[in-house]
Each structure stands twice: as C-alpha cells, then as structure tokens.
Amino acid sequence: HGLYSIGLCEKYANISASIIDSKYAMPLLKKNIAAAKLGGRIRLITGDVLKHDFRETFDVILLFNVLHEHDEKYNLRLIGRIRGLLGEKGRLIILDNIAEKKPTAFINLVSNTYGLMFYHFLGGQNYRFDQIRGWLSSSGFEKVTRKYLLRTGFSLVTAYR
C-alpha cells in the first residue's frame, strides 16, 4: 500500500501526497512510508473517500486498483465525488485491469481469473473501457484517454476536470 505515492514522491521532490484508506491498510502504509523516509511529505487519512470531509482540493488523484472491487453504482458515486475534490485543472488517473481480450493467452487467463474473484468475493468485476469512460463523462470529466500497459495487462485511464 502507498507504493505509487511513495514512488512519485521519490521521483519528484516538489510534490506531496495524501492517501486515504481503511484502518486495516494503515499499518502497512505507515511501515512503507517510514521505510522510504517520506513521513513529512505523505499524509495518511483513515476513512472513506465518499464520507471524509476534505478541506482542500487536489491537482491529481490516483485511483489505482479500486474500481474492480466495487459495483457500478458505487464506482459512479466515487468518480463523481472525486471530480468534486479536484482543482480547476485537476486530473484523475485510474489504473485498473480493463475487461477485454488481452495480447497473450496467459494474461487473458490471469485477467479472467482475477475478474471472477472480484465478482465472487467483492461484488465487483473488471470493467470495460467504454463503461469507465461513460462513468467519467457522465460525472463531467473531459479528455478521457487510455494507455494500455502491455507487460501488466492493465491500463492507465486519464481524465480531466
């Protein structure tokens, strides 16, 4: 947990990060942030992004490996809430496994297996890009783009407020 924010803070000395996650994730988050010596630049918030009273806006929000854990109704609410937390030129970056035919049989197998597990255990699934783009558009996001990350089978989806 927190590794993407840690990596960005290590690469770019002028940024800071806020991570919101459940109380169950906090021990590992604290351990990872302490090991990276970034406690002064990464703020932890225990809670739910839909319920937390944020008093600031953000330039960029990372929504990494989250959408597949939830149903469509929740994801639409989440994306709408995130749009309201972004500054005027804010950007949302999503990293997730998009439901589609993958370039190799092995990546297809892994992707479909994860999708089945998400559905069975969490009520979520791997969503198609057109579904995610639809949620973003209906929430008022613009300039929705997608970059396929070939080696992982995942995609980065970027949208602007």
Side-chain angles (χ1 to χ4, degrees):
H1 283 279
L3 298 179
Y4 295 108
S5 295
I6 290 168
L8 286 169
C9 285
E10 286 175 336
K11 184 167 181 159
Y12 302 102
N14 63 328
I15 68 167
S16 61
S18 297
I19 300 172
I20 186 165
D21 212 329
S22 72
K23 65 181 180 181
Y24 305 106
M26 287 300 144
L28 184 56
L29 278 165
K30 289 176 183 177
K31 178 182 171 191
N32 291 342
I33 292 166
K37 298 181 173 86
L38 288 169
R41 293 181 44 213
I42 299 178
R43 177 176 67 134
L44 295 177
I45 304 165
T46 303
D48 181 336
V49 71
L50 291 177
K51 297 176 185 174
H52 186 76
D53 183 22
F54 291 94
R55 306 220 179 237
E56 72 268 52
T57 59
F58 300 93
D59 297 322
V60 177
I61 294 179
L62 305 179
L63 188 63
F64 284 12
N65 298 310
V66 173
L67 295 179
H68 63 253
E69 296 181 2
H70 304 285
D71 64 25
E72 290 188 60
K73 184 178 176 182
Y74 180 91
N75 286 336
L76 188 55
R77 285 180 41 226
L78 178 62
I79 288 170
R81 170 75 165 142
I82 287 171
R83 186 179 184 283
L85 295 172
L86 286 167
E88 186 178 320
K89 296 180 181 179
R91 180 185 332 182
L92 170 60
I93 304 173
I94 297 168
L95 173 74
D96 222 313
N97 189 7
I98 307 293
E100 66 188 349
K101 186 167 177 24
K102 305 295 183 186
T104 69
F106 178 73
I107 295 174
N108 245 351
L109 174 66
V110 171
S111 176
N112 291 337
T113 301
Y114 276 123
L116 183 60
M117 288 181 358
F118 299 144
Y119 179 76
H120 180 70
F121 293 111
L122 301 170
Q125 62 178 327
N126 292 331
Y127 294 98
R128 296 182 322 274
F129 175 65
D130 65 306
Q131 290 173 287
I132 296 169
R133 184 179 51 220
W135 301 337
L136 291 164
S137 296
S138 69
S139 296
F141 280 96
E142 300 175 347
K143 300 179 190 171
V144 178
T145 61
R146 173 188 178 196
K147 180 177 182 179
Y148 183 69
L149 306 176
L150 184 60
R151 290 184 180 177
T152 66
F154 281 67
S155 290
L156 277 176
V157 178
T158 303
Y160 292 84
R161 181 163 196 255

Short mmCIF file of all heavy atoms in Angstrom, two decimals, residues 47-95:
data_model
loop_
_atom_site.label_atom_id
_atom_site.label_comp_id
_atom_site.label_asym_id
_atom_site.label_seq_id
_atom_site.Cartn_x
_atom_site.Cartn_y
_atom_site.Cartn_z
N GLY A 47 -10.16 6.43 6.50
CA GLY A 47 -11.56 6.70 6.23
C GLY A 47 -11.99 6.27 4.83
O GLY A 47 -11.32 5.52 4.16
N ASP A 48 -13.12 6.84 4.43
CA ASP A 48 -13.77 6.52 3.17
C ASP A 48 -13.85 7.81 2.36
O ASP A 48 -14.35 8.83 2.86
CB ASP A 48 -15.17 5.99 3.47
CG ASP A 48 -15.96 5.60 2.24
OD1 ASP A 48 -15.69 6.10 1.14
OD2 ASP A 48 -16.89 4.79 2.39
N VAL A 49 -13.39 7.79 1.14
CA VAL A 49 -13.37 8.99 0.31
C VAL A 49 -14.78 9.56 0.11
O VAL A 49 -14.95 10.77 -0.05
CB VAL A 49 -12.66 8.74 -1.04
CG1 VAL A 49 -13.49 7.85 -1.95
CG2 VAL A 49 -12.30 10.04 -1.73
N LEU A 50 -15.80 8.71 0.16
CA LEU A 50 -17.17 9.21 -0.01
C LEU A 50 -17.68 9.93 1.23
O LEU A 50 -18.62 10.73 1.13
CB LEU A 50 -18.11 8.05 -0.35
CG LEU A 50 -17.92 7.41 -1.71
CD1 LEU A 50 -18.87 6.23 -1.89
CD2 LEU A 50 -18.09 8.41 -2.84
N LYS A 51 -17.08 9.68 2.38
CA LYS A 51 -17.58 10.25 3.63
C LYS A 51 -16.66 11.29 4.26
O LYS A 51 -17.12 12.11 5.05
CB LYS A 51 -17.81 9.13 4.65
CG LYS A 51 -18.87 8.15 4.22
CD LYS A 51 -18.99 7.01 5.21
CE LYS A 51 -19.97 5.96 4.72
NZ LYS A 51 -19.99 4.78 5.57
N HIS A 52 -15.39 11.27 3.93
CA HIS A 52 -14.42 12.16 4.58
C HIS A 52 -14.68 13.62 4.20
O HIS A 52 -15.00 13.93 3.06
CB HIS A 52 -12.99 11.77 4.19
CG HIS A 52 -11.95 12.55 4.92
ND1 HIS A 52 -11.64 12.29 6.23
CD2 HIS A 52 -11.18 13.60 4.53
CE1 HIS A 52 -10.70 13.14 6.62
NE2 HIS A 52 -10.41 13.94 5.61
N ASP A 53 -14.53 14.51 5.17
CA ASP A 53 -14.72 15.95 4.96
C ASP A 53 -13.38 16.57 4.56
O ASP A 53 -12.63 17.04 5.41
CB ASP A 53 -15.26 16.60 6.24
CG ASP A 53 -15.53 18.07 6.06
OD1 ASP A 53 -15.71 18.53 4.91
OD2 ASP A 53 -15.56 18.79 7.09
N PHE A 54 -13.09 16.55 3.27
CA PHE A 54 -11.86 17.14 2.77
C PHE A 54 -12.00 18.66 2.81
O PHE A 54 -13.03 19.20 2.46
CB PHE A 54 -11.59 16.69 1.34
CG PHE A 54 -11.24 15.24 1.21
CD1 PHE A 54 -12.21 14.30 0.93
CD2 PHE A 54 -9.93 14.82 1.38
CE1 PHE A 54 -11.90 12.97 0.81
CE2 PHE A 54 -9.60 13.48 1.27
CZ PHE A 54 -10.58 12.55 0.98
N ARG A 55 -10.94 19.32 3.19
CA ARG A 55 -10.96 20.78 3.26
C ARG A 55 -10.07 21.40 2.19
O ARG A 55 -9.78 22.59 2.24
CB ARG A 55 -10.52 21.24 4.64
CG ARG A 55 -11.35 20.58 5.73
CD ARG A 55 -11.67 21.52 6.82
NE ARG A 55 -12.49 20.81 7.79
CZ ARG A 55 -13.67 21.21 8.16
NH1 ARG A 55 -14.19 22.28 7.63
NH2 ARG A 55 -14.36 20.54 9.05
N GLU A 56 -9.64 20.59 1.25
CA GLU A 56 -8.78 21.08 0.19
C GLU A 56 -9.16 20.40 -1.12
O GLU A 56 -9.93 19.46 -1.12
CB GLU A 56 -7.31 20.83 0.52
CG GLU A 56 -6.89 19.37 0.42
CD GLU A 56 -7.00 18.58 1.72
OE1 GLU A 56 -8.05 18.57 2.36
OE2 GLU A 56 -6.01 17.93 2.06
N THR A 57 -8.61 20.94 -2.20
CA THR A 57 -8.76 20.28 -3.50
C THR A 57 -7.39 19.74 -3.89
O THR A 57 -6.37 20.10 -3.31
CB THR A 57 -9.27 21.25 -4.58
OG1 THR A 57 -8.36 22.34 -4.69
CG2 THR A 57 -10.68 21.73 -4.25
N PHE A 58 -7.38 18.89 -4.90
CA PHE A 58 -6.16 18.21 -5.31
C PHE A 58 -5.89 18.46 -6.79
O PHE A 58 -6.82 18.62 -7.58
CB PHE A 58 -6.30 16.70 -5.04
CG PHE A 58 -6.53 16.39 -3.59
CD1 PHE A 58 -7.82 16.26 -3.10
CD2 PHE A 58 -5.47 16.24 -2.72
CE1 PHE A 58 -8.05 15.98 -1.76
CE2 PHE A 58 -5.68 15.96 -1.37
CZ PHE A 58 -6.97 15.83 -0.89
N ASP A 59 -4.61 18.47 -7.14
CA ASP A 59 -4.22 18.64 -8.54
C ASP A 59 -4.39 17.33 -9.31
O ASP A 59 -4.79 17.33 -10.47
CB ASP A 59 -2.76 19.09 -8.64
CG ASP A 59 -2.53 20.44 -8.00
OD1 ASP A 59 -3.41 21.32 -8.11
OD2 ASP A 59 -1.47 20.63 -7.37
N VAL A 60 -4.03 16.23 -8.66
CA VAL A 60 -4.10 14.91 -9.27
C VAL A 60 -4.62 13.93 -8.23
O VAL A 60 -4.22 13.99 -7.06
CB VAL A 60 -2.71 14.43 -9.76
CG1 VAL A 60 -2.78 13.02 -10.34
CG2 VAL A 60 -2.12 15.40 -10.78
N ILE A 61 -5.50 13.05 -8.65
CA ILE A 61 -5.96 11.97 -7.77
C ILE A 61 -5.69 10.66 -8.49
O ILE A 61 -6.06 10.48 -9.65
CB ILE A 61 -7.45 12.10 -7.42
CG1 ILE A 61 -7.67 13.35 -6.56
CG2 ILE A 61 -7.95 10.84 -6.70
CD1 ILE A 61 -9.11 13.62 -6.16
N LEU A 62 -5.01 9.76 -7.78
CA LEU A 62 -4.75 8.41 -8.30
C LEU A 62 -5.82 7.48 -7.76
O LEU A 62 -6.04 7.41 -6.55
CB LEU A 62 -3.38 7.91 -7.84
CG LEU A 62 -2.17 8.78 -8.14
CD1 LEU A 62 -0.91 8.12 -7.58
CD2 LEU A 62 -2.03 9.06 -9.62
N LEU A 63 -6.47 6.78 -8.65
CA LEU A 63 -7.46 5.77 -8.28
C LEU A 63 -6.95 4.45 -8.84
O LEU A 63 -7.30 4.04 -9.93
CB LEU A 63 -8.83 6.15 -8.85
CG LEU A 63 -10.03 5.33 -8.41
CD1 LEU A 63 -10.27 5.47 -6.90
CD2 LEU A 63 -11.27 5.75 -9.17
N PHE A 64 -6.06 3.83 -8.08
CA PHE A 64 -5.34 2.67 -8.56
C PHE A 64 -5.87 1.39 -7.92
O PHE A 64 -5.93 1.29 -6.69
CB PHE A 64 -3.84 2.81 -8.27
CG PHE A 64 -3.11 3.77 -9.18
CD1 PHE A 64 -3.78 4.63 -10.03
CD2 PHE A 64 -1.74 3.78 -9.20
CE1 PHE A 64 -3.10 5.49 -10.87
CE2 PHE A 64 -1.04 4.65 -10.03
CZ PHE A 64 -1.72 5.50 -10.87
N ASN A 65 -6.24 0.45 -8.77
CA ASN A 65 -6.71 -0.87 -8.32
C ASN A 65 -7.89 -0.77 -7.36
O ASN A 65 -7.93 -1.45 -6.34
CB ASN A 65 -5.55 -1.65 -7.68
CG ASN A 65 -4.44 -1.90 -8.65
OD1 ASN A 65 -4.66 -2.37 -9.76
ND2 ASN A 65 -3.23 -1.55 -8.26
N VAL A 66 -8.85 0.07 -7.71
CA VAL A 66 -10.02 0.29 -6.86
C VAL A 66 -11.32 -0.10 -7.56
O VAL A 66 -12.17 -0.77 -6.97
CB VAL A 66 -10.10 1.76 -6.39
CG1 VAL A 66 -11.40 2.03 -5.65
CG2 VAL A 66 -8.90 2.11 -5.51
N LEU A 67 -11.50 0.31 -8.81
CA LEU A 67 -12.79 0.14 -9.48
C LEU A 67 -13.25 -1.31 -9.51
O LEU A 67 -14.43 -1.59 -9.33
CB LEU A 67 -12.74 0.71 -10.91
CG LEU A 67 -12.53 2.21 -11.02
CD1 LEU A 67 -12.48 2.62 -12.48
CD2 LEU A 67 -13.60 2.98 -10.26
N HIS A 68 -12.33 -2.23 -9.72
CA HIS A 68 -12.71 -3.65 -9.84
C HIS A 68 -13.26 -4.22 -8.54
O HIS A 68 -13.87 -5.27 -8.54
CB HIS A 68 -11.53 -4.49 -10.33
CG HIS A 68 -10.36 -4.50 -9.40
ND1 HIS A 68 -9.21 -3.82 -9.68
CD2 HIS A 68 -10.17 -5.09 -8.20
CE1 HIS A 68 -8.35 -3.99 -8.69
NE2 HIS A 68 -8.91 -4.77 -7.78
N GLU A 69 -13.05 -3.52 -7.42
CA GLU A 69 -13.53 -4.02 -6.12
C GLU A 69 -14.99 -3.68 -5.85
O GLU A 69 -15.55 -4.15 -4.87
CB GLU A 69 -12.67 -3.44 -5.00
CG GLU A 69 -11.23 -3.89 -5.04
CD GLU A 69 -10.41 -3.31 -3.90
OE1 GLU A 69 -10.96 -2.59 -3.05
OE2 GLU A 69 -9.20 -3.61 -3.86
N HIS A 70 -15.60 -2.84 -6.68
CA HIS A 70 -16.92 -2.31 -6.38
C HIS A 70 -17.89 -2.48 -7.54
O HIS A 70 -17.47 -2.68 -8.68
CB HIS A 70 -16.81 -0.83 -6.02
CG HIS A 70 -15.87 -0.57 -4.89
ND1 HIS A 70 -16.19 -0.84 -3.59
CD2 HIS A 70 -14.60 -0.11 -4.87
CE1 HIS A 70 -15.16 -0.54 -2.81
NE2 HIS A 70 -14.18 -0.10 -3.56
N ASP A 71 -19.17 -2.33 -7.24
CA ASP A 71 -20.18 -2.40 -8.30
C ASP A 71 -20.28 -1.06 -9.03
O ASP A 71 -19.69 -0.06 -8.62
CB ASP A 71 -21.53 -2.86 -7.74
CG ASP A 71 -22.15 -1.89 -6.74
OD1 ASP A 71 -21.86 -0.66 -6.78
OD2 ASP A 71 -22.95 -2.34 -5.91
N GLU A 72 -21.02 -1.05 -10.12
CA GLU A 72 -21.11 0.15 -10.96
C GLU A 72 -21.69 1.35 -10.22
O GLU A 72 -21.21 2.47 -10.39
CB GLU A 72 -21.96 -0.15 -12.20
CG GLU A 72 -21.30 -1.07 -13.18
CD GLU A 72 -22.06 -1.20 -14.47
OE1 GLU A 72 -22.27 -0.16 -15.15
OE2 GLU A 72 -22.46 -2.32 -14.82
N LYS A 73 -22.70 1.13 -9.40
CA LYS A 73 -23.34 2.22 -8.68
C LYS A 73 -22.34 2.92 -7.75
O LYS A 73 -22.26 4.15 -7.71
CB LYS A 73 -24.53 1.67 -7.88
CG LYS A 73 -25.32 2.73 -7.16
CD LYS A 73 -26.51 2.11 -6.45
CE LYS A 73 -27.25 3.15 -5.65
NZ LYS A 73 -28.38 2.58 -4.90
N TYR A 74 -21.56 2.14 -7.01
CA TYR A 74 -20.56 2.71 -6.12
C TYR A 74 -19.51 3.46 -6.93
O TYR A 74 -19.11 4.58 -6.57
CB TYR A 74 -19.90 1.61 -5.28
CG TYR A 74 -18.85 2.14 -4.34
CD1 TYR A 74 -19.18 2.53 -3.05
CD2 TYR A 74 -17.52 2.29 -4.75
CE1 TYR A 74 -18.22 3.04 -2.18
CE2 TYR A 74 -16.55 2.80 -3.89
CZ TYR A 74 -16.91 3.17 -2.62
OH TYR A 74 -15.96 3.67 -1.77
N ASN A 75 -19.03 2.85 -8.01
CA ASN A 75 -17.98 3.49 -8.82
C ASN A 75 -18.44 4.82 -9.40
O ASN A 75 -17.67 5.78 -9.45
CB ASN A 75 -17.51 2.55 -9.93
CG ASN A 75 -16.65 1.43 -9.40
OD1 ASN A 75 -16.03 1.54 -8.34
ND2 ASN A 75 -16.61 0.32 -10.12
N LEU A 76 -19.68 4.90 -9.82
CA LEU A 76 -20.20 6.15 -10.35
C LEU A 76 -20.24 7.23 -9.26
O LEU A 76 -19.85 8.38 -9.49
CB LEU A 76 -21.59 5.94 -10.96
CG LEU A 76 -22.19 7.11 -11.72
CD1 LEU A 76 -21.26 7.58 -12.83
CD2 LEU A 76 -23.52 6.74 -12.30
N ARG A 77 -20.67 6.87 -8.07
CA ARG A 77 -20.66 7.81 -6.94
C ARG A 77 -19.23 8.24 -6.60
O ARG A 77 -18.97 9.41 -6.35
CB ARG A 77 -21.31 7.18 -5.70
CG ARG A 77 -22.81 7.10 -5.78
CD ARG A 77 -23.47 6.48 -4.55
NE ARG A 77 -22.91 6.89 -3.29
CZ ARG A 77 -22.60 6.06 -2.28
NH1 ARG A 77 -22.82 4.77 -2.39
NH2 ARG A 77 -22.10 6.51 -1.16
N LEU A 78 -18.31 7.28 -6.59
CA LEU A 78 -16.92 7.56 -6.27
C LEU A 78 -16.31 8.53 -7.28
O LEU A 78 -15.66 9.51 -6.90
CB LEU A 78 -16.13 6.25 -6.24
CG LEU A 78 -14.64 6.34 -5.96
CD1 LEU A 78 -14.39 6.92 -4.57
CD2 LEU A 78 -13.99 4.97 -6.10
N ILE A 79 -16.52 8.28 -8.54
CA ILE A 79 -15.95 9.15 -9.59
C ILE A 79 -16.56 10.55 -9.50
O ILE A 79 -15.85 11.55 -9.66
CB ILE A 79 -16.13 8.50 -10.97
CG1 ILE A 79 -15.16 7.31 -11.09
CG2 ILE A 79 -15.93 9.50 -12.10
CD1 ILE A 79 -15.38 6.43 -12.30
N GLY A 80 -17.84 10.64 -9.23
CA GLY A 80 -18.47 11.95 -9.06
C GLY A 80 -17.88 12.70 -7.87
O GLY A 80 -17.62 13.91 -7.94
N ARG A 81 -17.67 12.01 -6.79
CA ARG A 81 -17.07 12.61 -5.59
C ARG A 81 -15.65 13.08 -5.89
O ARG A 81 -15.25 14.18 -5.48
CB ARG A 81 -17.07 11.59 -4.45
CG ARG A 81 -16.28 11.97 -3.23
CD ARG A 81 -16.98 13.01 -2.40
NE ARG A 81 -16.34 13.05 -1.08
CZ ARG A 81 -16.14 14.14 -0.40
NH1 ARG A 81 -16.57 15.29 -0.86
NH2 ARG A 81 -15.54 14.10 0.77
N ILE A 82 -14.89 12.26 -6.57
CA ILE A 82 -13.51 12.62 -6.90
C ILE A 82 -13.46 13.87 -7.77
O ILE A 82 -12.63 14.75 -7.56
CB ILE A 82 -12.79 11.44 -7.58
CG1 ILE A 82 -12.48 10.37 -6.52
CG2 ILE A 82 -11.53 11.90 -8.30
CD1 ILE A 82 -11.96 9.07 -7.08
N ARG A 83 -14.38 13.99 -8.73
CA ARG A 83 -14.39 15.18 -9.58
C ARG A 83 -14.54 16.44 -8.73
O ARG A 83 -13.90 17.45 -8.96
CB ARG A 83 -15.49 15.13 -10.61
CG ARG A 83 -15.40 16.31 -11.58
CD ARG A 83 -16.46 16.28 -12.65
NE ARG A 83 -16.27 17.37 -13.58
CZ ARG A 83 -16.60 18.64 -13.35
NH1 ARG A 83 -17.14 18.99 -12.19
NH2 ARG A 83 -16.40 19.58 -14.26
N GLY A 84 -15.38 16.36 -7.70
CA GLY A 84 -15.57 17.50 -6.81
C GLY A 84 -14.36 17.82 -5.95
O GLY A 84 -14.26 18.93 -5.41
N LEU A 85 -13.45 16.89 -5.81
CA LEU A 85 -12.24 17.10 -5.00
C LEU A 85 -11.06 17.63 -5.82
O LEU A 85 -10.04 18.00 -5.26
CB LEU A 85 -11.82 15.78 -4.32
CG LEU A 85 -12.79 15.23 -3.29
CD1 LEU A 85 -12.35 13.85 -2.84
CD2 LEU A 85 -12.91 16.18 -2.11
N LEU A 86 -11.22 17.66 -7.12
CA LEU A 86 -10.14 18.13 -7.99
C LEU A 86 -10.21 19.63 -8.18
O LEU A 86 -11.30 20.21 -8.28
CB LEU A 86 -10.21 17.45 -9.36
CG LEU A 86 -9.77 15.99 -9.39
CD1 LEU A 86 -10.18 15.34 -10.70
CD2 LEU A 86 -8.27 15.86 -9.16
N GLY A 87 -9.04 20.26 -8.26
CA GLY A 87 -8.98 21.67 -8.58
C GLY A 87 -9.43 21.93 -10.01
O GLY A 87 -9.72 21.00 -10.77
N GLU A 88 -9.42 23.19 -10.40
CA GLU A 88 -9.95 23.60 -11.70
C GLU A 88 -9.34 22.84 -12.87
O GLU A 88 -10.02 22.51 -13.83
CB GLU A 88 -9.73 25.10 -11.87
CG GLU A 88 -10.37 25.68 -13.10
CD GLU A 88 -10.16 27.17 -13.19
OE1 GLU A 88 -10.24 27.85 -12.15
OE2 GLU A 88 -9.91 27.65 -14.31
N LYS A 89 -8.05 22.58 -12.83
CA LYS A 89 -7.38 21.86 -13.92
C LYS A 89 -6.97 20.47 -13.47
O LYS A 89 -6.03 19.89 -13.99
CB LYS A 89 -6.15 22.63 -14.38
CG LYS A 89 -6.50 23.98 -14.99
CD LYS A 89 -5.26 24.71 -15.43
CE LYS A 89 -5.63 26.07 -16.00
NZ LYS A 89 -4.44 26.82 -16.42
N GLY A 90 -7.71 19.92 -12.52
CA GLY A 90 -7.35 18.64 -11.92
C GLY A 90 -7.46 17.46 -12.86
O GLY A 90 -8.21 17.48 -13.84
N ARG A 91 -6.71 16.43 -12.51
CA ARG A 91 -6.64 15.23 -13.34
C ARG A 91 -6.87 13.99 -12.47
O ARG A 91 -6.32 13.87 -11.37
CB ARG A 91 -5.27 15.16 -13.97
CG ARG A 91 -5.06 13.97 -14.86
CD ARG A 91 -3.66 13.85 -15.40
NE ARG A 91 -2.96 15.10 -15.53
CZ ARG A 91 -1.75 15.23 -16.02
NH1 ARG A 91 -1.08 14.18 -16.42
NH2 ARG A 91 -1.16 16.40 -16.10
N LEU A 92 -7.67 13.08 -12.96
CA LEU A 92 -7.87 11.77 -12.34
C LEU A 92 -7.13 10.74 -13.18
O LEU A 92 -7.29 10.70 -14.40
CB LEU A 92 -9.36 11.42 -12.28
CG LEU A 92 -9.72 9.99 -11.88
CD1 LEU A 92 -9.20 9.65 -10.48
CD2 LEU A 92 -11.22 9.78 -11.97
N ILE A 93 -6.32 9.92 -12.51
CA ILE A 93 -5.61 8.85 -13.20
C ILE A 93 -6.04 7.53 -12.58
O ILE A 93 -5.91 7.33 -11.37
CB ILE A 93 -4.08 9.01 -13.11
CG1 ILE A 93 -3.66 10.39 -13.65
CG2 ILE A 93 -3.38 7.89 -13.87
CD1 ILE A 93 -2.20 10.71 -13.44
N ILE A 94 -6.57 6.66 -13.41
CA ILE A 94 -7.07 5.36 -12.97
C ILE A 94 -6.13 4.28 -13.50
O ILE A 94 -5.75 4.30 -14.67
CB ILE A 94 -8.49 5.12 -13.53
CG1 ILE A 94 -9.47 6.15 -12.99
CG2 ILE A 94 -8.96 3.69 -13.22
CD1 ILE A 94 -10.81 6.16 -13.70
N LEU A 95 -5.75 3.37 -12.63
CA LEU A 95 -5.01 2.18 -13.04
C LEU A 95 -5.87 0.99 -12.66
O LEU A 95 -6.26 0.83 -11.50
CB LEU A 95 -3.66 2.09 -12.31
CG LEU A 95 -2.88 0.79 -12.55
CD1 LEU A 95 -2.27 0.79 -13.95
CD2 LEU A 95 -1.82 0.60 -11.50
#
